[in-house]
Amino acid sequence: MVSGIIIWNGRRRSSARGYPSDPGLQCGAVAPSCQAKSEREMRYVEHAKSFLLASLVLLAGVNSVAGETAMMSSVQTAGNPQNEGIAVGDAELAVVLGAKPSPAEKRVAVLLTERIKNRTGMALAGPGGKTELRLVIGTVASNEKIKAFSAGRKDIASLGADGYCIASDAGKGELYVVGQSDSGVVAGVGRLMREMRYTPGKLELPPLQITEAPQMPNRGMYLWARKHFFGKPDQVDRYIEELALWGCNALAFWFEMGMFKSFDDPEARHWLAMYRRFYQTARRMGMKTGLIMVVNDAYKSSPEKLHISPIIGCPKHYLCPSKPGSVRQIIAWQEQVLKALPRIDIYNLFPADPGGCACSDCTPWPTRGYWRIAKPLAERIHQISPKTEIWVDTWHLNHKTFGGKDWKNLVASLAKDRPAWFAGFEVGLAPHHRFAAMSAEERKYYNEAKAPLMVFPDISMWRNHRGMLVNREYWKSLQAELNDYSPELMKGGWPYSERWNTDIASVVFLSWFWNSKKTVETVLDEYASFYFGPEAKTGRELLNLLDDACKDPERREKIRETLAKLESSVPAWVKKDWRWDEIVKSCRRLK
Ligand SMILES: [Zn+2]
């Protein structure tokens, strides 16, 4: 165990091993907020690069009190906080929250403490303990120390919504995570966790000076929380928190009425209770709540006389909005669900797959059947909850079954009229989907409508995406399609997440919400660094071998060898993460 705080001088250089890809630096170099960096920040990047190399070499040899003392003296004389990284040992780092921390601040401090404990075996100093280094977390409103530190700092004053700043004051022995909001604090601490380097009895903090704000306001995840998750809700809670640490700020569920006999079905009540629980977890992390509702969804016991005329992908018991009494019934049902849940920030009106009706009165679906229910439903939701953003999803509407080109009339009409409840359109992203793929011409139409946009990516986005597989080439095509939309219109989205199938894809999407130009290579480096630790380079090699597009003729053999190498070299904490098991399973499927 190390005692005493160790400060390194960043100018020292060496060819160190371990943590080969520095995600923070790469990310910082391309993040939008970093694109027009001040000279000082650019210098930081250079300093930090050399620091990382130096610090790792020094770490390898640090074990003497004399060495530590010498290093400690440098903190008093160096006078250049951008140059210095810090390592702390057991009980040498304290987390300082404000006098009245928000639930998100309290929770993220606990998560940080747990992460450090799990990876280094170290405890943080308890409240009131005197330490050489303090990590000060919060917002200007929640923490007096943050307020004092932020005074006069233009970069902090100009942080965009949900942005964060990580900065140090070596003279005071303080490192700050300044958030612009709860979500910003959580994302900032998440970033800090990914910048930290963990070894037994030792925690290294690079000399950070990062300012980042997300490009898009709705950085959501549509969590496929189904019944088989309900037996392990603690894991779902933890996963929601992990998504928040990656910058996710919204959580959506689909309440599928068709799974239940009625609203009073005990099973429906059980689902609502679980959703309430998960929303509470999300809210505690500073996240927004989202609900996806198919407009003509109905319970299994729905009156037969109101049923739809069959249409692809839609169960028979859904209601035809053109039949007398249907619209009133649908609104009443959706109102019940809305009122049974905590405040919903974002409500999605979903049109099809499932949904729709093939009767002549509902055809074409976009401007007739869909609109017949979407308009009064949106008005009622807006009346009940005026602050709820209501988004009109157009998934599947560009297919001939759902009206061919009629979706354009819907888009043009809403974009022109802009009812008070209307937040924007949610567009599909599914290049390989036979029915829902979007063309360049269609994307142009949305851009020209000039209404805000969110995106709903297809669940099969990674095609053969079992386990932890990735497909970098496919992501590049998705990214190009996403970046076809006007950046000033694009407000985020809800990728489909079911944890083990989609963790890497989820992280890639979250990164896109923060910075639409960030490369998949950078994101994977950051991912590998965080979850493989000092074996990040080998971990990244393994991810590349697992990539769906990998055509290496010796792929199987290499997967076997690389996995074996990792199995014998990764720290124990790597194997305790559920991702390790998933990666091992993916390897076994292929080798
Ligand atoms: Zn109908």
Side-chain angles (χ1 to χ4, degrees):
M1 300 286 274
V2 171
S3 62
I5 296 171
I6 304 136
I7 311 286
W8 289 284
N9 184 313
R11 279 171 293 245
R12 294 181 64 161
R13 285 170 189 274
S14 178
S15 56
R17 61 182 166 79
Y19 286 103
S21 305
D22 182 64
L25 297 177
Q26 292 188 29
C27 172
V30 295
S33 58
C34 300
Q35 278 170 352
K37 281 297 176 200
S38 67
E39 216 175 289
R40 193 180 79 168
E41 282 162 313
M42 292 309 288
R43 275 205 308 275
Y44 154 70
V45 172
E46 287 312 308
H47 287 316
K49 279 178 184 164
S50 51
F51 155 73
L52 274 169
L53 297 174
S55 62
L56 288 157
V57 161
L58 281 163
L59 256 188
V62 166
N63 56 11
S64 73
V65 173
E68 290 158 17
T69 308
M71 288 301 172
M72 279 182 74
S73 66
S74 79
V75 74
Q76 287 137 12
T77 55
N80 183 353
Q82 265 94 51
N83 266 356
E84 293 157 347
I86 298 167
V88 290
D90 197 44
E92 290 175 349
L93 174 68
V95 170
V96 181
L97 300 178
K100 287 185 182 167
S102 69
E105 289 165 358
K106 283 197 272 193
R107 183 61 190 158
V108 82
V110 169
L111 293 174
L112 177 69
T113 307
E114 285 176 359
R115 180 88 57 178
I116 292 169
K117 179 79 180 168
N118 288 341
R119 292 188 173 193
T120 66
M122 285 165 33
L124 297 184
K130 293 217 182 255
T131 53
E132 294 283 337
L133 184 71
R134 288 165 301 283
L135 176 58
V136 187
I137 296 172
T139 64
V140 168
S142 74
N143 191 321
E144 284 300 317
K145 272 179 173 288
I146 294 279
K147 190 176 175 185
F149 175 73
S150 305
R153 283 195 57 147
K154 284 186 186 160
D155 56 342
I156 293 175
S158 62
L159 271 179
D162 295 341
Y164 64 83
C165 171
I166 304 175
S168 57
D169 183 336
K172 285 189 177 170
E174 289 182 343
L175 178 66
Y176 302 88
V177 178
V178 184
Q180 195 269 354
S181 62
D182 274 344
S183 176
V185 170
V186 171
V189 173
R191 174 71 181 270
L192 180 65
M193 285 182 188
R194 299 194 290 278
E195 300 286 349
M196 286 172 163
R197 298 295 177 256
Y198 309 84
T199 42
K202 228 174 288 168
L203 176 71
E204 301 161 69
L205 298 141
L208 299 169
Q209 184 73 33
I210 301 169
T211 306
E212 194 179 13
Q215 195 175 322
M216 301 172 212
N218 293 337
R219 305 175 300 282
M221 204 55 65
Y222 160 42
L223 201 59
W224 186 246
R226 298 270 113 176
K227 197 174 179 184
H228 60 275
F229 284 103
F230 293 174
K232 37 192 172 182
D234 290 345
Q235 285 185 24
V236 180
D237 286 336
R238 295 295 82 77
Y239 193 54
I240 293 166
E241 291 174 337
E242 285 192 81
L243 291 170
L245 293 169
W246 279 100
C248 179
N249 78 332
L251 179 72
F253 293 115
W254 171 25
F255 184 77
E256 190 179 357
M257 292 177 191
M259 294 175 59
F260 315 110
K261 283 193 208 77
S262 69
F263 181 75
D264 294 319
D265 184 338
E267 193 65 11
R269 297 305 178 101
H270 177 55
W271 279 63
L272 287 166
M274 295 309 286
Y275 282 7
R276 280 195 292 272
R277 172 191 172 126
F278 299 141
Y279 280 138
Q280 195 175 19
T281 303
R283 193 66 87 188
R284 190 175 61 180
M285 297 302 278
M287 295 163 86
K288 304 179 204 177
T289 51
L291 188 61
I292 292 172
M293 296 296 277
V294 179
V295 290
N296 64 324
D297 197 356
Y299 293 104
K300 277 190 282 197
S301 63
S302 67
E304 208 174 320
K305 64 182 178 33
L306 301 183
H307 285 182
I308 57 162
S309 296
I311 193 164
I312 54 166
C314 191
K316 279 187 211 151
H317 60 264
Y318 275 44
L319 299 199
C320 162
S322 299
K323 290 184 175 166
S326 273
V327 169
R328 201 174 56 241
Q329 181 60 77
I330 289 169
I331 292 173
W333 280 335
Q334 299 224 7
E335 194 174 324
Q336 270 181 324
V337 173
L338 182 66
K339 288 180 173 171
L341 294 170
R343 191 187 80 233
I344 295 296
D345 297 310
I346 304 173
Y347 201 100
N348 289 79
L349 303 173
F350 216 78
D353 185 24
C357 175
C359 82
S360 58
D361 287 337
C362 286
T363 305
W365 179 246
T367 56
R368 298 192 78 191
Y370 181 39
W371 186 240
R372 192 162 283 147
I373 175 63
K375 181 175 182 286
L377 177 59
E379 286 169 352
R380 180 63 186 143
I381 294 160
H382 184 63
Q383 195 180 33
I384 298 168
S385 180
K387 289 187 177 164
T388 297
E389 290 179 21
I390 301 172
W391 291 77
V392 173
D393 192 285
T394 58
W395 174 262
H396 234 332
L397 293 186
N398 54 347
H399 186 261
K400 60 180 188 304
T401 307
F402 293 92
K405 300 288 180 193
D406 186 52
W407 66 270
K408 288 189 172 182
N409 299 325
L410 178 75
V411 169
S413 159
L414 266 168
K416 180 170 160 279
D417 296 346
R418 306 280 175 123
W421 54 263
F422 175 65
F425 297 109
E426 187 171 80
V427 295
L429 176 73
H432 297 294
H433 196 296
R434 263 191 320 136
F435 302 126
M438 301 278 287
S439 68
E441 184 263 329
E442 287 166 343
R443 291 193 288 278
K444 186 163 174 264
Y445 192 85
Y446 281 102
N447 282 338
E448 289 173 352
K450 297 202 184 318
L453 298 170
M454 278 178 71
V455 65
F456 187 84
D458 177 25
I459 58 171
S460 59
M461 55 195 165
W462 302 103
R463 306 209 84 186
N464 306 314
H465 69 305
R466 295 172 67 202
M468 295 290 287
L469 301 188
V470 295
N471 188 332
R472 285 171 295 163
E473 289 311 310
Y474 186 46
W475 167 254
K476 285 173 194 170
S477 69
L478 292 183
Q479 190 175 22
E481 178 168 335
L482 288 164
N483 288 346
D484 236 12
Y485 291 105
S486 303
E488 62 271 21
L489 298 178
M490 184 49 75
K491 307 298 176 194
W494 309 107
Y496 171 97
S497 167
E498 54 181 24
R499 200 185 82 157
W500 39 85
N501 278 351
T502 51
D503 189 57
I504 290 174
S506 300
V507 167
V508 173
F509 267 104
L510 290 172
S511 302
W512 180 77
F513 295 143
W514 277 77
N515 174 3
S516 62
K517 303 282 197 243
K518 196 163 171 178
T519 69
V520 66
E521 307 299 339
T522 304
V523 180
L524 288 176
D525 278 347
E526 191 169 1
Y527 192 89
S529 178
F530 194 42
Y531 295 116
F532 292 99
E535 297 302 326
K537 185 169 178 289
T538 313
R540 181 64 210 281
E541 282 164 18
L542 184 60
L543 292 182
N544 288 354
L545 288 164
L546 291 172
D547 192 299
D548 286 354
C550 177
K551 297 281 182 272
D552 190 325
E554 291 166 31
R555 185 186 186 201
R556 286 164 190 271
E557 195 178 308
K558 285 183 180 172
I559 285 175
R560 221 168 16 242
E561 283 169 7
T562 314
L563 180 64
K565 194 172 156 191
L566 284 169
E567 271 175 334
S568 64
S569 62
V570 290
W573 58 260
V574 170
K575 292 184 182 175
K576 284 184 196 155
D577 192 301
W578 58 265
R579 288 171 187 80
W580 174 260
D581 293 334
E582 295 302 322
I583 286 166
V584 170
K585 271 190 232 162
S586 295
C587 293
R588 296 215 170 113
R589 279 189 204 112
L590 286 165
K591 77 182 185 183

